[in-house]
Amino acid sequence: MAKQRCAHISAVRTVKTATRFECAECVKTGDPWVHLRTCQDCGVTLCCDSSPNQHASKHASASRHPVIASAEPGERWLYCYPDGAFAKY
Ligand SMILES: [Zn+2]
Ligand SMILES: [Zn+2]
Ligand SMILES: [Zn+2]
């Protein structure tokens, strides 16, 4: 059930899921991460806002890729950064 809808989440037809369970940026520097998120524009998997580097949110603002999906096993939800919208799928 969607609590809030935005045009970005509505535009997602097929949800991209993680191909590798690691943050693409943290692995380069050896930094730890907490949870993983997959960008729905380019498919890159990066770390969440609870992680020290917050790569997913940095990527969203730098690349203007608004929507991420949780890459955590068993979690099926999408989040839009600019709208703060959350939706299960
Ligand atoms: Zn949006
Ligand atoms: Zn990271
Ligand atoms: Zn992206």
Side-chain angles (χ1 to χ4, degrees), residues 66-80:
V67 182
I68 49 94
S70 174
E72 296 299 309
E75 291 187 3
R76 293 170 60 86
W77 51 261
L78 299 166
Y79 180 76
C80 173

Side-chain angles (χ1 to χ4, degrees), residues 6 8 80 83:
C6 72
H8 308 111
C80 173
D83 292 316

Side-chain angles (χ1 to χ4, degrees), residues 39 41-42 44 59 65:
C39 176
D41 274 278
C42 63
V44 67
H59 173 79
H65 292 169

